[in-house]
Amino acid sequence: MLDDFMMRATLAGLGVACAAAPLGSFVVWRRMAYFGDATAHAAVLGVALSLALQISVFAGAMAVALAMALTVTLLSGRGYAMDTLLGVLAHSALAFGLVAVSFLSGIRIDLMAYLFGDILAVSRTDLAVIWGGAAVVVGLIGWRWSGLLTSTLNEDLAYASGIDPRREKLILTLALAITVAVAIKVVGVLLIAAMLIIPAAAARPLSRTPEGMALTAAVIGAASAVIGLRAAYVFDTPAGPSIVCVAALIFAGTSVMSSVLRVG
């Protein structure tokens, strides 16, 4: 069954959707969209370092994404606005990554595959990494769900409940780095943030509880992966962008439906 490239691509898309859904909900609640984008951009540098050092692309991308997220966390509030800091670090990391790739002699690299994803080329090993990473992310979020939710709602309430908001943010940062590392092969660096944000944003009008939003986001992400892959196969379009386009159409649909119900 896994010899069929479309089956492997579908399973890879479902794995990324499972990882991105609960994490994306927290990204939306905490207004961390640009933070996720910056972490994803840094992954290109991780890819270049991985190829130069001949180590796993997953390990290199995760290490650099985690270093980027920790750097932003440590430097925030030290004289620079958060959006300025994220903009500088995100574009600098992407530029250094692209320059580093150009120095890799004797190594063939399809840069477009890392920028926009190459889900149709996912192997069995890639599937194991994607689903393993997704399991870790879901496990982390599930383990710290109450603490993450409390610190997201109100940091003072979190302290009063004996919860350290900085520790919870660190867990989110780790989960984000893992998600970026597993998603880079599926949707690419430039579209990872979209898969984090769009399904969660689309689920928001349909949900009454935080748990409901995370589950609905997972369903929307999974549907986007399956429908987007089918559309890419039928219309001969890029797979990663097609998945994001479907997610964007679902977001537009839920937004319109929410507006109509509000007016009615």
Side-chain angles (χ1 to χ4, degrees):
M1 181 178 70
L2 294 182
D3 291 333
D4 184 352
F5 75 96
M6 282 298 289
M7 179 58 70
R8 291 197 300 272
T10 301
L11 290 173
L14 293 176
V16 170
C18 288
L23 183 59
S25 298
F26 282 103
V27 169
V28 169
W29 293 330
R30 287 174 172 253
R31 300 180 181 179
M32 292 172 61
Y34 206 7
F35 186 85
D37 205 29
T39 306
H41 278 61
V44 174
L45 181 57
V47 170
L49 292 176
S50 300
L51 295 174
L53 299 174
Q54 296 184 336
I55 61 174
S56 165
V57 169
F58 169 79
M62 188 177 75
V64 174
L66 184 57
M68 172 70 167
L70 291 174
T71 301
V72 172
T73 302
L74 291 173
L75 292 180
S76 60
R78 299 195 177 186
Y80 293 100
M82 179 61 81
D83 60 342
T84 301
L85 187 61
L86 286 171
V88 170
L89 292 176
H91 299 301
S92 298
L94 179 60
F96 277 112
L98 294 175
V99 170
V101 166
S102 70
F103 284 108
L104 296 176
S105 58
I107 299 177
R108 293 188 62 185
I109 175 173
D110 183 3
L111 194 56
M112 294 296 287
Y114 288 107
L115 291 177
F116 297 102
D118 191 10
I119 191 172
L120 299 180
V122 167
S123 65
R124 293 184 180 211
T125 302
D126 293 329
L127 272 181
V129 169
I130 290 168
W131 277 96
V136 171
V137 170
V138 172
L140 274 175
I141 300 295
W143 172 51
R144 298 302 308 164
W145 179 265
S146 179
L148 287 168
L149 199 57
T150 303
S151 60
T152 298
L153 292 172
N154 190 295
E155 288 195 359
D156 292 332
L157 178 61
Y159 280 120
S161 303
I163 298 168
D164 185 355
R166 291 171 299 180
R167 181 187 61 196
E168 305 306 322
K169 189 171 184 179
L170 199 60
I171 290 171
L172 270 184
T173 298
L174 175 60
L176 183 61
I178 295 172
T179 302
V180 166
V182 300
I184 193 170
K185 188 71 178 276
V186 177
V187 290
V189 167
L190 300 182
L191 300 176
I192 289 172
M195 284 305 291
L196 281 169
I197 299 162
I198 298 177
R204 197 167 193 169
L206 307 177
S207 311
R208 294 180 178 272
T209 64
E211 294 82 3
M213 180 170 161
L215 289 173
T216 305
V219 171
I220 291 173
S224 300
V226 173
I227 298 171
L229 277 171
R230 181 61 182 171
Y233 181 78
V234 172
F235 299 109
D236 193 23
T237 55
S242 297
I243 291 171
V244 175
C245 285
V246 172
L249 290 174
I250 295 174
F251 168 73
T254 60
S255 298
V256 170
M257 184 176 70
S258 175
S259 299
V260 170
L261 292 176
R262 234 184 351 254
V263 171

